[in-house]
Amino acid sequence: MSSKEKLKDVIEGFLKSKEPGVLALKGPWGIGKTHFWNNCISRKLVNAEFNDVITISLFGQSSIEDIESQLLAHFLGSELNEDVDDSGSIKRARKKFSNLLSRFEEYLPGSYGKLAKAAKIQYLSNKSNLVICLDDVERASKDFPIDELFGFVEKVREKQNSKVVLILNEEFLLEDREKKKIYELFREKVIDIEITFHQTPAETLLVANPDAREFIYFEQLQASLVALNICNIRLTKRCLSHIETILHEFEHARHFKLFAERIAQSVVLYVWIYHTFGSELLNLIGKKVILDDDISDGEMTPYETLIKRCREYGYHGAEPLDGVIADLILEGYLDSESLKVKSVSVEYGLREIEAREKLWSAWNIYSESFEPDEKVMLLEVLDVLNQHGEYIYPTQIDRVISLFRGLGSQAGCAQIIDLFLKKNLNNRQKFVTSDSSGIKFVEDEEFRTRLELEYRPEIELDLQTAFLMYREGGDLSKARLAINNASTEALMEALTSGKIPKVVATTASVLGDPEIKSERLTAVIVALGSDGEFGKVRARLLLGLEL
């Protein structure tokens, strides 16, 4: 039995009891207390054995007279509309009239006003066997007399033989010392049953949108809400709204499901950050590429607490789309142009993932068979290269070539190498990167020789020259290849050379180039220390500021 079902049983038992009573339904804001009461309890009491069921919000109310006026307006409105099937406009006119009658004593002078007020109280006192729900108790006016509220509730219970339900955020109410003192004094005398409303993030999601299970990103969204324990309906609805706003731009994306899941993960985190830590920290986290900050062993700052939660969530830095998502939450509108620009690199990454999965599927023909058919395998690999060759890296195809070498298929190796190079004529950058996917890690001699013969000019470009091209102009495609291909040691040496003033001056431009693999270059700059020119660059990097 779920927590909501247990609560429902308790409340229904309270309402079925022949004795009058007072029940307090407690819980944080936005968790769904009012929704639960209106949809799971109150609606089912329409034909029950009560003369009337009324729900009144105390939001902004300043006196018991305000509550009595709302009750009188409700009763008068019901009587005016009784057994009449009028148009909506007539019913609205009658409602306004009943509201006016409910505060009639305010418009009468002297003793006439007192007489009208006494008549109102007498009229209300004659109503019995009611269910009155007083919602938003903690949101009443600051000057609202809590002691008089308890007196009113006690009168309704005892004199009018009725049930009263109080819906409140107890934590907020108890923040006011005076109200806390009065509340704790009267609660045991007046309130018969106290229950706390609990709702899981999964339940909250289905309350926010009953059709959420139909969303292609439902599982990721639910997992993200659970990870951050978001049980607030309004926040959940906000997440859904932002996700749908962004996904509208990707309706025809090839990898829509993966886009949707990544966007859902970031949106939930950023909405949570915004409402828990504020806009300043969201702006910082949403633009910070690497969350490499140290966390102190002692009492943590809000920023350190946030970093810790982000890492637990599985978030280690902003990806291309995240800055746009953060801006949507901060500014309230979507920068569609920026989104399209950023989505290009995300789409490329997703295509790389798809290509890798297809390649491994072809590989599995060998690994999962006792007598693999060499021709079938070769056709599968060539088909993958034809469809996805530009998204496959040298070291990935190097493993496949090694497999065919082992099978003695030299002709098959040649076909694979030829097709791979053909598919990558306009995609040379990945051939010379220095990470685990580049030329320097290719083991097959024939494949490595063909790659080096094709791309040696880009590989041999001087690093210092590459950096200075950003200042003095030149073919930046060659500069990018040289910088991305360089080892960490080579980058350290280039940045600490005799040309350091000029090289440092170009560092910001290099890091601002979206085609540069900036994470490793950033790490090199950080490692160089905090003195001089590098100190300025390093400080801005660590603070997540623009260079």
Side-chain angles (χ1 to χ4, degrees):
M1 182 182 291
S2 69
S3 58
K4 290 173 71 173
E5 290 172 332
K6 292 177 183 177
L7 287 174
K8 188 177 177 183
D9 284 349
V10 172
I11 296 174
E12 287 179 346
F14 163 77
L15 293 171
K16 288 177 181 177
S17 168
K18 299 298 182 182
E19 299 296 321
V22 179
L23 180 145
L25 179 60
K26 306 179 295 183
W29 283 330
I31 199 171
K33 303 184 298 295
T34 303
H35 181 277
F36 175 73
W37 169 258
N38 290 336
N39 291 276
C40 298
I41 305 296
S42 177
R43 185 176 293 176
K44 296 181 179 180
L45 296 177
V46 174
N47 298 318
E49 296 180 359
F50 295 102
N51 291 333
D52 211 337
V53 180
I54 312 110
T55 298
I56 295 175
S57 172
L58 269 59
F59 191 2
Q61 303 299 314
S62 57
S63 66
I64 298 301
E65 285 74 18
D66 290 338
I67 299 175
E68 292 174 337
S69 295
Q70 286 194 64
L71 286 171
L72 183 59
H74 171 84
F75 292 130
L76 291 175
S78 297
E79 291 173 6
L80 285 171
N81 288 322
E82 193 173 27
D83 299 324
V84 178
D85 186 16
D86 288 331
S87 67
S89 59
I90 294 176
K91 287 186 176 180
R92 284 193 294 273
R94 287 179 171 172
K95 183 177 181 180
K96 289 181 180 179
F97 181 61
S98 63
N99 287 337
L100 177 64
L101 285 178
S102 68
R103 309 188 75 94
F104 193 56
E105 75 274 8
E106 297 178 10
Y107 305 98
L108 297 175
S111 58
Y112 294 104
K114 293 180 180 178
L115 183 62
K117 183 175 181 179
K120 178 175 76 172
I121 294 173
Q122 183 60 45
Y123 174 85
L124 292 175
S125 299
N126 289 334
K127 298 290 182 179
S128 61
N129 192 31
L130 308 169
V131 175
I132 298 178
C133 174
L134 300 178
D135 194 5
D136 300 314
V137 173
E138 77 287 348
R139 294 190 182 188
S141 169
K142 185 178 180 180
D143 300 324
F144 187 91
I146 291 295
D147 53 343
E148 291 184 22
L149 173 66
F150 278 112
F152 172 79
V153 168
E154 177 71 8
K155 183 185 74 172
V156 170
R157 176 176 63 182
E158 299 299 333
K159 303 294 184 183
Q160 296 175 247
N161 194 39
S162 297
K163 309 273 190 183
V164 179
V165 175
L166 302 173
I167 300 180
L168 67 152
N169 179 343
E170 188 179 58
E171 290 184 6
F172 184 82
L173 183 68
L174 297 180
E175 287 180 4
D176 185 310
R177 291 185 179 180
E178 290 301 317
K179 288 184 177 180
K180 178 181 179 181
K181 187 187 300 183
I182 297 170
Y183 178 75
E184 292 181 341
L185 176 66
F186 284 97
R187 68 190 300 178
E188 292 184 17
K189 299 178 181 178
V190 178
I191 300 175
D192 301 301
I193 300 174
E194 293 187 49
I195 54 176
T196 302
F197 184 82
H198 294 289
Q199 188 164 258
T200 66
E203 291 171 330
T204 303
L205 175 56
L206 294 176
V207 170
N209 189 322
D211 298 323
R213 285 195 180 93
E214 303 300 319
F215 299 158
I216 196 169
Y217 54 89
F218 170 73
E219 290 184 4
Q220 177 61 63
L221 175 61
Q222 181 174 261
S224 299
L225 293 168
V226 169
L228 295 172
N229 195 33
I230 296 177
C231 301
N232 187 299
I233 295 175
R234 284 185 287 275
L235 289 192
T236 303
K237 285 184 175 181
R238 200 158 296 169
C239 290
L240 289 167
S241 174
H242 289 321
I243 292 168
E244 289 301 312
T245 297
I246 297 168
L247 289 183
H248 180 70
E249 304 289 332
F250 294 106
E251 286 180 332
H252 305 294
R254 178 174 175 176
H255 300 90
F256 181 76
K257 186 173 187 293
L258 288 173
F259 262 114
E261 289 174 345
R262 289 193 177 192
I263 289 166
Q265 190 175 24
S266 290
V267 166
V268 171
L269 176 65
Y270 288 177
V271 166
W272 175 78
I273 291 174
Y274 181 73
H275 289 277
T276 307
F277 293 92
S279 58
E280 186 175 346
L281 286 185
L282 171 56
N283 191 51
L284 177 58
I285 294 295
K287 310 294 173 63
K288 195 172 177 63
V289 176
I290 305 175
L291 297 185
D292 56 356
D293 308 69
D294 294 328
I295 297 177
S296 60
D297 295 329
E299 185 176 349
M300 291 188 290
T301 65
Y303 178 69
E304 289 175 325
T305 301
L306 174 55
I307 293 294
K308 184 174 183 291
R309 289 298 303 274
C310 284
R311 289 173 182 167
E312 292 170 349
Y313 185 75
Y315 179 90
H316 301 285
E319 295 185 357
L321 289 180
D322 288 339
V324 181
I325 295 172
D327 286 339
L328 168 62
I329 294 167
L330 289 166
E331 307 296 337
Y333 62 89
L334 180 66
D335 185 344
S336 298
E337 290 304 314
S338 293
L339 183 67
K340 289 175 183 177
V341 172
K342 299 290 186 182
S343 66
V344 172
S345 60
V346 176
E347 175 69 18
Y348 191 92
L350 294 176
R351 285 176 181 262
E352 287 182 341
I353 294 171
E354 181 184 23
R356 188 164 59 246
E357 289 174 349
K358 295 285 186 182
L359 189 61
W360 295 156
S361 294
W363 174 278
N364 286 337
I365 295 175
Y366 171 78
S367 62
E368 295 177 0
S369 175
F370 290 108
E371 296 181 2
D373 188 321
E374 180 186 322
K375 291 181 179 179
V376 173
M377 287 175 56
L378 180 60
L379 288 174
E380 286 288 332
V381 171
L382 294 177
D383 184 57
V384 172
L385 286 174
N386 267 315
Q387 294 186 50
H388 309 284
E390 62 270 35
Y391 303 106
I392 296 174
Y393 279 82
T395 50
Q396 293 167 351
I397 208 68
D398 186 46
R399 294 182 62 189
V400 177
I401 293 171
S402 175
L403 168 64
F404 278 88
R405 295 275 187 225
L407 294 174
S409 178
Q410 303 306 322
C413 292
Q415 283 183 270
I416 293 171
I417 293 171
D418 288 342
L419 184 55
F420 182 75
L421 293 174
K422 179 181 177 181
K423 294 294 292 184
N424 285 279
L425 288 175
N426 299 314
N427 195 25
R428 299 182 174 189
Q429 180 176 335
K430 72 183 180 187
F431 285 75
V432 291
T433 54
S434 60
D435 60 18
S436 59
S437 300
I439 285 180
K440 64 188 296 183
F441 292 96
V442 170
E443 295 181 357
D444 185 82
E445 289 187 12
E446 180 187 352
F447 187 33
R448 183 184 178 90
T449 300
R450 292 282 301 277
L451 291 170
E452 289 181 340
L453 285 173
E454 188 73 24
Y455 304 110
R456 176 56 61 185
E458 283 81 5
I459 296 173
E460 292 182 342
L461 184 67
D462 176 72
L463 266 180
Q464 292 179 8
T465 303
F467 270 94
L468 294 175
M469 279 184 177
Y470 281 85
R471 176 176 181 146
E472 299 167 2
D475 186 352
L476 289 186
S477 62
K478 292 184 178 181
R480 293 180 186 117
L481 288 168
I483 294 170
N484 285 331
N485 181 53
S487 65
T488 300
E489 294 75 15
L491 285 171
M492 294 280 280
E493 184 178 347
L495 293 174
T496 53
S497 69
K499 296 181 181 179
I500 186 171
K502 290 184 178 180
V503 173
V504 172
T506 67
T507 305
S509 299
V510 177
L511 286 170
D513 185 343
E515 294 188 43
I516 288 293
K517 297 198 171 185
S518 58
E519 290 86 353
R520 190 162 47 84
L521 184 55
T522 298
V524 170
I525 293 170
V526 171
L528 286 172
S530 56
D531 297 330
E533 292 296 324
F534 275 116
K536 298 176 184 177
V537 178
R538 179 179 186 272
R540 298 187 73 77
L541 283 170
L542 292 177
L543 290 171
L545 302 174
E546 292 183 3
L547 292 163

